[in-house]
Each structure stands twice: as structure tokens, then as C-alpha cells.
Amino acid sequence: MSDVTNTTNSSQSSALIRQATTAYHSETLDNIFDNSFALIEKARKAFSPQMKSYEVGIITNIATGIAKVSGLPSAGFEEMLIFAGNVRGIVFNVDIDELGVVLLGDYAHLQAGDEVRRSGHVMDIAVGNELLGRVINPLGQVLDDGLPIQATQHLPIERTATAIMDRAAVTVPLQTGLIVIDALIPIGRGQRELILGDRQTGKTAIAIDTILNQHDKNVLCVYCAIGQRASSVAKAVATLREQGAMAYTVVVVTEGNEPAGLQYIAPYAAMSIAEYYMQQGQDVLIVFDDLTKHARAYRELSLLLRRPPGREAFPGDIFYIHSRLLERATQLNKALGGGSLTALPIIETEAQNISAYIPTNLISITDGQIYLSPSLFELGVLPAVDVGKSVSRVGGKAQLAAFRAVAGDLKLTYAQFEELETFARFGARLDQDTAKSIEHGRRIRASLRQPESSPLPVAEQIILLLALTSGLFDTIALAKMTAAKNALRAIINRLPAELSTRLATSGSLSDEDHQNIIALSKQALASIEDSNAPLLADGSEQP
């Protein structure tokens, strides 16, 4: 009897629990539905439909990379227009009856009669830390395998340059890691230094090495490839990734087969990205590779829009488009955060003609130039920097005191050696002092050689320069200069901690510091001097 009673009680309890649970869930669902419908009703009553007007025109003519548009009387210069398929364009010509528009995307589907809508604003680009490590195009669209960029801030690609009163003097060096530049043609943060030379002379390599050398130096970098081959851009990005430089670099890319409009806006978009970081108090380096293709793209657009051609068929404002771009590079004063923006524009010359139209324009805009010589490149002197034709009008003031102490007369000595070497080729008999100067100059040239993607720290550069100016390399065979340089670089770990700090900072070196470095250098070079066996004609040692 007791078992039957317990079973009955259990069944009754289970039934009561199910009834209570069902009632609870029903009440909960009713509350949810009531609350939801109440919110919907509230939103419906609060909503008031509004009409948004758009000014719409039509395409009257379309050509290679440009379109003529009518029916937009209120559109302004450089305003962005929206075409069918979400293709964007920028107003370039504002005539009485029509607009000349530069197209910024694939326009194969566009034809005369299609509608065009005003956007009401100028062209802009996404900015922010979300762009670091990414490869994008000038429209902010990603070109790598990552997710689309969700930036919260945009800046117009065309902006007024910083006012003179908001700028400060260039006082801090930008180390490139290339001893020939840091010692002889120094660059300061906030400077504009032109890199020019014939094709395939190593211009891009210098820019990439400079970006690589900014690792752990609190300098953000923007690399802008204008009209480059996809393979060249992929190689540069791969080098940056392998060396860990993409963590502080943004890459803006337009390929050579893309519309000329994209190539034209690319440097301005990249400059706006760099300016955002500068305004946050950061030191920024931007590379334009290269502005020759940018000038040609602008010439193409201008001629298609029937603008009058000038010298070499370039329009009259070709100087202005580059000057208004590079003037945005500067050193801000402390009141604005003290950020800096250093620009390294690249220009390609033809047949070593640095007095051509576009190179002349850029030389007059920038604060100096680094010229790469094809003859030096063919001789294997890399980087092929022609010291005689290269100059820095600002960076010398920002150069580290230790650099100035050990490299003050090096440029003059090297220039004199090049003159003497040219004279010696005529087979003239040389006196002992001249022959000694030539041998010393050859070791200067050997010391300035440096393999690609191998930037040198400041301390190692100063040690090499001090040994060079002190004549320690004069007893080393030219074939063993590489081994001698490697031996000197190894002594950096044997220097006192205080001396290493002074070498890496702006501190000047005392006479005692010089003596300590020279003593250690002599010890490191002693073994190489002892092994100086006679060399064969090809530079190898005799057995």
C-alpha cells in the first residue's frame, strides 16, 4: 500500500510542476511579446519619413579614364561624384555646360546617358591605427588577405599644408641605416629628400632599407607605390613582412594597369594617412615610388581633358601638384604635438639627365637629393650613391654630434679621391702622396659599400667611420675589407655601456672615447693584418 501511495503522490507532484512551468513560460512569452510590440509601436510613432534630395546628371561622353558630365550645376572642383556600379570620380574641369571628371575605377560598363549623382563632399581616405600592417589602394579598399578596414575617421586627400608658424626646425636625424647617407648626406625628421637616378639603379632599395631601419625607433612608415608592376610591389611587401616592418608600415598601391585617376590620387591619399599619424605626435616616414609615373598620369588626364600642354607636353601646373604634396611634410612645433613627417620622393631619370623637366621641378621643391649613378651600379658599388651630385640642405644640422666628429671631412676627401682616380687612369706617374690618397679613397669606397636589406645601427657606423678616418683600414687589402668591417662590427659588444649609449644617442665623444674605440679596433684588425698574404690578379689570396 505504501508503494502505491508514494507513486500516486509523485505523479501528482509532477503534474503540478508541469502546470506551474507552463504557466510561467506562457507569462514570460506574453511579457516578451508585449514589450516588443510596445517598442515597435513607439518607434513607429517616433518615425517621420523625410525626403532626401540628390542632384543627378548624365554622362555626355566617356573616354579613357575620363567622363564628361552635364546637369550638375552645383558641383564644385575636386568634388566626388558617384557613377553607376558605385564607380567614383573626381571633378577636374568645371566648364559652363559640363564637367570633366576623372574616373577612379573600372568604367567599362559606363556609357553615355548613364546617371551621375553628387556626393556633396571631396574625396577622402580612411585613417587610423587600423591601417598599420595593411596593403590598400587609394580608395581605402584592402588588397591583402585581411578583413575590410573598419576605420572611424576619414580625412580628405587634399589638405592645406601646415602654416609656417606651426612648424619647427629640423633637429632630429632620421637614420637610414646606410652609412653613405647617414654620414655624408644626412636626413632630418621633417625633411624632404629626393632620391633620383636611372631605372634599375637601386632607388627603391634605398627607400625599403630606410623603412627597415625604423624598427624600434618609434617611426611609422607609409610606402606609396604609384603605377608599379604587381611583381615589384609584391617583392617590396614580402621584404617588409620578412623583416617585421609591416607592423609599423602602411602600403598604398596602384598598379600600372589601373586607371590614371587612381595613380594621380595615390600620393595625396598616402600623405593624408601619414599626416594623421603626425598630428597624433608621431614621427612618420613616407616614400613616394615614384613621382615620375605620377606626373605622367597627370599629363595623360590633362591632355584627355583638353588642357593646354606645355614643356614636354606636361600641363603648366605640374610643378604645383608636386609642391602642394611635398609641402605637407614638416616638423610640427611642440604646441601641436611635435610630430614630424619626412618625405622621400623617388624620381626616375633618363640617360642620367638630372636637368630634365620633372627632376628639375622636384629638386627645387625638396631639401636635397640623393643621386644614384648607373656607372657606380655597374661597378658593383652598392648603394650606387654619387656623393658629388648628392646634397642635403637640412639634415646636416640634425646630424648626431658623434657623426659630425668622425665624418666631417669625409665627403671632401672622397670627392678629391674620385678626381685623382680619374686623373690616374690616363697612366700618369703619381707621386707617393697622391698614390697614398688614392689607396685611402678606395678604402673609403669599400667602407661605404653595403648589401641590400642590411641597415647598420648608429653605433656600428660610427665605429667603422672612426677606424676609416684614423687610417686603420689603409693596411688592409681591398679584398679583405668586408672581413675587416665585420670584425669591427663585432666589437660593439665589448664597449663600455656608457660609451655604447653615447654612440647611439646625440652625445658627443671625448678624446678618451676615441682612444678606447681605436684601441679595440686595432685589436680586432690585427688578425686580419697578420693574414695579409699576397693577392692574385683576381683579388683572391695565394695558397
Side-chain angles (χ1 to χ4, degrees):
M1 270 311 275
S2 62
D3 291 342
V4 173
T5 303
N6 291 337
T7 301
T8 302
N9 292 337
S10 177
S11 300
Q12 292 174 350
S13 299
S14 298
L16 292 173
I17 292 173
R18 284 196 297 272
Q19 292 175 2
T21 302
T22 302
Y24 172 76
H25 282 297
S26 299
E27 184 180 356
T28 303
L29 289 174
D30 290 342
N31 291 337
I32 292 174
F33 283 122
D34 290 343
N35 292 336
S36 299
F37 285 124
L39 291 174
I40 293 174
E41 181 68 16
K42 184 178 179 181
R44 185 188 67 80
K45 291 180 178 179
F47 173 74
S48 58
Q50 296 179 351
M51 295 184 65
K52 188 174 182 180
S53 61
Y54 291 101
E55 190 172 330
V56 179
I58 60 171
I59 300 176
T60 58
N61 184 26
I62 191 163
T64 305
I66 66 162
K68 297 294 182 66
V69 175
S70 65
L72 296 175
S74 301
F77 180 62
E78 292 188 347
E79 181 177 345
M80 187 174 69
L81 304 182
I82 309 297
F83 293 79
N86 202 32
V87 176
R88 287 182 273 185
I90 300 179
V91 177
F92 245 44
N93 282 6
V94 182
D95 299 326
I96 297 176
D97 300 324
E98 63 182 7
L99 304 173
V101 182
V102 173
L103 300 174
L104 303 178
D106 185 8
Y107 53 87
H109 63 284
L110 298 179
Q111 56 187 354
D114 287 350
E115 288 189 351
V116 186
R117 179 166 57 88
R118 288 185 61 195
S119 67
H121 60 84
V122 297
M123 182 69 195
D124 57 18
I125 184 71
V127 296
N129 293 329
E130 298 85 357
L131 273 65
L132 292 175
R134 305 303 301 272
V135 181
I136 62 174
N137 68 5
L139 302 178
Q141 300 166 346
V142 298
L143 301 179
D144 52 21
D145 297 330
L147 297 174
I149 296 171
Q150 303 294 332
T152 59
Q153 189 172 353
H154 291 72
L155 289 178
I157 64 171
E158 290 273 14
R159 306 180 68 205
T160 304
T162 305
I164 295 295
M165 298 304 295
D166 293 332
R167 304 187 182 210
V170 175
T171 58
V172 180
L174 180 88
Q175 302 295 337
T176 66
L178 302 173
I179 189 169
V180 64
I181 296 177
D182 291 341
L184 306 182
I185 319 155
I187 301 173
R189 296 188 183 184
Q191 184 176 345
R192 300 154 298 178
E193 184 79 4
L194 180 65
I195 302 174
L196 75 164
D198 287 8
R199 63 186 305 271
Q200 299 296 323
T201 51
K203 301 184 296 296
T204 301
I206 286 181
I208 295 297
D209 283 356
T210 304
I211 294 176
L212 296 179
N213 194 56
Q214 306 314 310
H215 195 278
D216 296 330
K217 290 181 173 59
N218 197 29
V219 176
L220 301 181
C221 303
V222 179
Y223 176 69
C224 180
I226 308 169
Q228 300 290 330
R229 297 191 303 271
S231 58
S232 300
V233 177
K235 179 183 177 182
V237 173
T239 301
L240 295 175
R241 290 194 191 280
E242 290 172 2
Q243 302 284 348
M246 283 300 292
Y248 54 87
T249 303
V250 181
V251 180
V252 181
V253 177
T254 56
E255 297 179 9
N257 58 354
E258 291 184 317
L262 277 180
Q263 298 181 39
Y264 168 70
I265 69 170
Y268 300 102
M271 182 62 88
S272 290
I273 294 172
E275 276 186 321
Y276 168 81
Y277 297 127
M278 177 184 67
Q279 292 171 350
Q280 307 304 311
Q282 292 278 351
D283 291 315
V284 189
L285 167 67
I286 186 167
V287 175
F288 300 111
D289 190 10
D290 62 47
L291 291 186
T292 302
K293 295 181 176 63
H294 180 249
R296 290 171 182 167
Y298 184 70
R299 176 174 61 183
E300 175 185 336
L301 296 173
S302 298
L303 295 179
L304 287 169
L305 290 170
R306 298 294 188 266
R307 292 186 175 183
R311 179 178 168 185
E312 299 181 20
F314 286 104
D317 61 342
I318 191 70
F319 179 90
Y320 174 62
I321 71 165
H322 286 154
S323 63
R324 76 172 187 251
L325 170 70
L326 296 175
E327 279 296 326
R328 293 161 68 178
T330 186
Q331 168 73 56
L332 296 180
N333 58 30
K334 292 184 179 180
L336 295 178
S340 69
L341 177 50
T342 308
L344 295 181
I346 297 176
I347 278 289
E348 180 182 306
T349 57
E350 296 180 355
Q352 307 181 46
N353 184 16
I354 65 174
S355 62
Y357 185 35
I358 300 302
T360 303
N361 282 351
L362 268 296
I363 288 173
S364 62
I365 294 170
T366 53
D367 307 313
Q369 70 273 352
I370 298 171
Y371 177 68
L372 301 182
S373 169
S375 56
L376 291 177
F377 188 87
E378 292 168 1
L379 292 173
V381 180
L382 301 177
V385 177
D386 189 327
V387 176
K389 295 180 180 179
S390 302
V391 64
S392 177
R393 303 183 185 97
V394 177
K397 299 293 184 180
Q399 194 175 29
L400 297 178
F403 260 117
R404 287 196 297 269
V406 298
D409 299 329
L410 190 61
K411 187 173 184 178
L412 177 60
T413 304
Y414 189 58
Q416 291 173 342
F417 151 70
E418 290 181 323
E419 294 291 336
L420 291 174
E421 187 182 41
T422 302
F423 178 74
R425 289 173 185 167
F426 293 104
R429 181 175 297 178
L430 304 176
D431 59 82
Q432 186 176 0
D433 291 338
T434 302
K436 185 177 179 181
S437 297
I438 291 177
E439 288 300 318
H440 180 65
R442 288 172 178 167
R443 279 149 184 82
I444 295 177
R445 183 162 59 197
S447 299
L448 300 180
R449 289 186 181 184
Q450 197 168 333
E452 188 176 344
S453 301
S454 301
L456 290 178
V458 172
E460 295 181 9
Q461 290 188 43
I462 293 176
I463 290 174
L464 290 176
L465 290 171
L466 184 57
L468 178 63
T469 54
S470 300
L472 300 186
F473 286 139
D474 291 348
T475 57
I476 304 295
L478 286 174
K480 294 190 175 183
M481 281 297 297
T482 301
K485 290 192 293 183
N486 291 335
L488 286 184
R489 292 177 59 187
I491 72 171
I492 191 68
N493 297 325
R494 297 160 54 190
L495 296 176
E498 294 182 359
L499 177 55
S500 299
T501 302
R502 285 197 295 274
L503 287 174
T505 59
S506 58
S508 58
L509 300 179
S510 63
D511 293 339
E512 183 180 356
D513 294 335
H514 280 239
Q515 294 173 3
N516 290 337
I517 295 174
I518 291 175
L520 290 174
S521 300
K522 287 180 177 179
Q523 295 176 9
L525 296 175
S527 59
I528 297 177
E529 291 177 353
D530 292 341
S531 63
N532 272 344
L535 300 179
L536 299 176
D538 61 357
S540 60
E541 291 186 14
Q542 290 184 355

